[in-house]
Amino acid sequence: MANHKSAEKRIRQAEVRRLRNRYSARTTRNAVRKFRTLTDKAEAQKLYPSVCSMLDRLAKKNVIHKNKAGNLKSKLAAHVKSLA
């Protein structure tokens, strides 16, 4: 148990941030999964910027590493290009 007021506050803040990070990471993962199942090129091109934006936001907040975000964006761009 925390012995200081500041330690109790840090515990509260950490819990709130953990839940927020978990929610945003899960939402982004679902968006990436949904994107990978697309077969229509026009729809994929329309959705690509929003998924990239989500990945960039996670990288900026250090939820995921910036290189991981870059790798995912690269793979998604290749997926768009491969669609007929």
Side-chain angles (χ1 to χ4, degrees):
M1 195 63 216
N3 290 325
H4 297 281
K5 266 191 137 161
S6 60
E8 290 170 355
K9 182 177 178 181
R10 297 297 289 167
I11 290 169
R12 289 195 308 269
Q13 286 177 328
E15 178 65 13
V16 167
R17 288 181 181 140
R18 183 183 73 84
L19 293 174
R20 190 178 301 137
N21 288 341
R22 219 171 104 190
Y23 171 79
S24 57
R26 171 61 65 190
T27 306
T28 304
R29 267 200 305 276
N30 288 339
V32 168
R33 270 194 212 111
K34 182 182 171 196
F35 187 86
R36 284 201 175 120
T37 62
L38 293 177
T39 53
D40 180 32
K41 187 166 188 159
E43 190 180 348
Q45 284 176 330
K46 195 175 87 174
L47 198 63
Y48 180 71
S50 64
V51 175
C52 284
S53 172
M54 292 170 87
L55 289 168
D56 286 334
R57 215 172 302 133
L58 284 184
K60 184 180 175 187
K61 294 178 180 176
N62 290 320
V63 178
I64 62 173
H65 196 273
K66 65 183 175 113
N67 289 354
K68 181 180 175 73
N71 287 336
L72 285 169
K73 284 164 47 178
S74 172
K75 292 252 171 60
L76 296 178
H79 175 66
V80 171
K81 193 173 179 185
S82 73
L83 294 174

